[in-house]
Amino acid sequence: MLTLALEQENGYLRTLEELVRFETPTAHKEACDALAQHLTALLEGDGWSVKRHPRDEAGEIVEAKIAGGSGPRTLLLAHYDTVWPLGTLERMPWRRDGNVVYGPGTCDMKAGIAAAVHAVRLLRAAGHEPRGDVTLLITSDEESGSHHSRPSIEELARAHDRVLVLETSRDDGAIKIGRKGVASYRVNFGGRSAHAGNDPEAGASALRELAHFLLYAEDLSDREAGTTVNVTVAGGGTVVNVIAEQAQAILDVRVLRAGEDERVDEALRRYRPRDPRVLVEVEGGLNRPPLEPTEANTRLWHEAQERLRELGLELEGAIVGGGSDGNFTSALGIPTLDGLGSSGAASHARNEHIRLRETLERVALLAALLQPEASRG
């Protein structure tokens, strides 16, 4: 299977280049819909049964299915939206340098979509159909929180026995066996303005209260529990000689364990301002629950390790700080394994890239996970 995967290099690169050349920033619905149309033709040409689900606020969701045997029903989970604005390809072109392939959206995560396409092609080239039904769900708003696709993700996940998430690996190639949950908050501070020189005591500084709140909030971090709370954006005030009447802060919260989000949320909301004249309003909450190394997830990881050994490969498992749509499916209790789409690094950075050989090894692993048991060895 691995040899066949490596022989697909040119075909895989053609597929990936086609996907990358469709620039698909999350907020640009027309551009996203154009790629959804291309994906439909691509998948139907390979014998997938395809449906497109329109979204008013985001690009269309692509759902493709292949009937398999009586084995486990597998949901392959991907997204085609990227963080890169239209025109990025001019400044950050598609290119290959030896084993490394660069371009906006390569590892996050158009390489994962190409991996799904070529894993099924690989399986069929080896003379097999999947051991169970396979659904490929490609969403359009993962980078902005999956607000418009989450219901579809969770509905489809409940109809499957396992979920393989086609996000990229950790930068060193490790499979993602756990992810932190992600919460975000906006905190508004309303104070009282006054002349900073003539009558500062009459003012109630929203900025001073923000400073107290920053220390309070970040002290909620718990290194042992894997919880981080960071004020990442803050600002306020109007002009140099006026006590700040308004201020705002945005918080990024990451939790490794279920329940930690509730502890942090409760603590943030019970904050009492040092200056009672300042009104503090906390908005937001948990967006993605943690993808924990549950018993079900661990069994799926052990199966992947067996397939890796059969391929003559070895990869580590890692828990990472970023979230994915796999966080949703794991929280439902469905066995979920992440980081199967490519081996790459620098997501959201100008040197975003995949490592080609290692990515083709991922294609072989994906095909092996879909391979009928009777055809092994």
Side-chain angles (χ1 to χ4, degrees):
M1 192 72 77
L2 179 56
T3 300
L4 283 174
L6 297 175
E7 290 173 353
Q8 284 196 8
E9 177 181 304
N10 291 334
Y12 175 88
L13 281 173
R14 282 195 299 272
T15 300
L16 179 57
E17 182 177 2
E18 287 175 355
L19 299 179
V20 171
R21 290 197 180 280
F22 280 87
E23 295 186 283
T24 48
T26 308
H28 201 295
K29 177 175 169 53
E30 184 178 349
C32 287
D33 286 347
L35 179 53
Q37 184 174 357
H38 172 79
L39 286 166
T40 299
L42 172 66
L43 292 164
E44 287 180 341
D46 277 5
W48 296 75
S49 174
V50 183
K51 291 193 299 185
R52 296 215 304 269
H53 302 275
R55 290 291 185 273
D56 292 335
E57 309 88 347
E60 295 179 327
I61 295 174
V62 178
E63 177 187 348
K65 295 186 176 182
I66 287 180
S70 58
R73 298 162 297 175
T74 302
L75 175 62
L76 303 176
L77 195 51
H79 69 88
Y80 64 71
D81 63 310
T82 77
V83 300
W84 300 105
L86 295 180
T88 299
L89 272 169
E90 296 178 10
R91 305 182 303 277
M92 186 178 159
W94 161 272
R95 65 186 177 91
R96 178 181 179 180
D97 183 5
N99 189 49
V100 182
V101 178
Y102 295 90
T106 47
C107 71
D108 192 15
M109 63 167 290
K110 291 174 179 176
I113 301 171
V117 170
H118 284 269
V120 172
R121 288 182 183 178
L122 177 59
L123 196 61
R124 288 172 167 170
H128 311 300
E129 289 294 324
R131 59 179 169 137
D133 293 347
V134 177
T135 301
L136 171 61
L137 185 68
I138 312 173
T139 64
S140 59
D141 65 337
E142 192 271 348
E143 296 293 359
S144 61
S146 302
H147 301 292
H148 304 296
S149 57
R150 181 173 179 175
S152 296
I153 293 167
E154 294 182 335
E155 180 182 359
L156 267 180
R158 290 187 179 99
H160 290 77
D161 301 304
R162 57 184 188 164
V163 178
L164 305 179
V165 185
L166 304 181
E167 292 279 3
T168 194
S169 66
R170 194 173 68 174
D171 285 3
D172 63 358
I175 300 288
K176 295 172 179 175
I177 60 174
R179 285 182 178 270
K180 289 187 177 183
V182 183
S184 60
Y185 294 88
R186 179 184 177 90
V187 185
N188 299 307
F189 302 84
R192 182 182 299 172
S193 62
H195 194 290
N198 292 334
D199 196 15
E201 293 81 6
S205 173
L207 276 174
R208 183 187 297 114
E209 197 61 53
L210 187 158
H212 289 305
F213 178 85
L214 184 154
L215 298 175
Y216 171 86
E218 294 197 349
D219 279 347
L220 296 173
S221 297
D222 185 333
R223 180 177 296 181
E224 184 177 339
T227 300
T228 60
V229 181
N230 289 290
V231 177
T232 53
V233 180
T238 52
V239 294
V240 67
N241 60 347
V242 176
I243 299 297
E245 185 176 36
Q246 300 291 333
Q248 308 81 36
I250 296 176
L251 280 68
D252 178 277
V253 179
R254 308 281 168 145
V255 297
L256 188 59
R257 303 174 185 171
E260 271 292 283
D261 58 295
E262 296 175 2
R263 177 186 70 82
V264 172
D265 187 89
E266 291 171 2
L268 291 174
R269 296 183 190 280
R270 68 169 178 262
Y271 175 80
R272 294 295 176 263
R274 298 285 188 92
D275 186 336
R277 297 174 297 170
V278 178
L279 176 66
V280 179
E281 296 179 336
V282 178
E283 304 170 351
L286 187 70
N287 171 248
R288 285 186 169 90
L291 194 168
E292 299 182 87
T294 62
E295 184 177 340
N297 292 346
T298 300
R299 284 198 303 270
L300 184 53
W301 167 229
H302 288 165
E303 180 184 349
Q305 288 177 302
E306 290 178 13
R307 302 291 85 81
L308 283 166
R309 284 191 289 269
E310 292 169 1
L311 293 167
L313 302 171
E314 183 177 352
L315 290 171
E316 293 183 358
I319 297 174
V320 298
S324 81
D325 289 337
N327 291 51
F328 300 137
T329 63
S330 176
L332 295 174
I334 297 133
T336 301
L337 188 62
D338 203 336
L340 293 164
S342 66
S343 182
S347 296
H348 302 188
R350 295 210 172 270
N351 63 330
E352 179 178 355
H353 63 272
I354 64 164
R355 297 179 291 274
L356 182 57
R357 181 186 172 90
E358 293 93 325
T359 295
L360 292 171
E361 291 172 353
R362 287 260 189 327
V363 174
L365 172 59
L366 199 57
L369 286 166
L370 301 176
Q371 184 179 352
E373 294 286 351
S375 64
R376 300 193 188 285

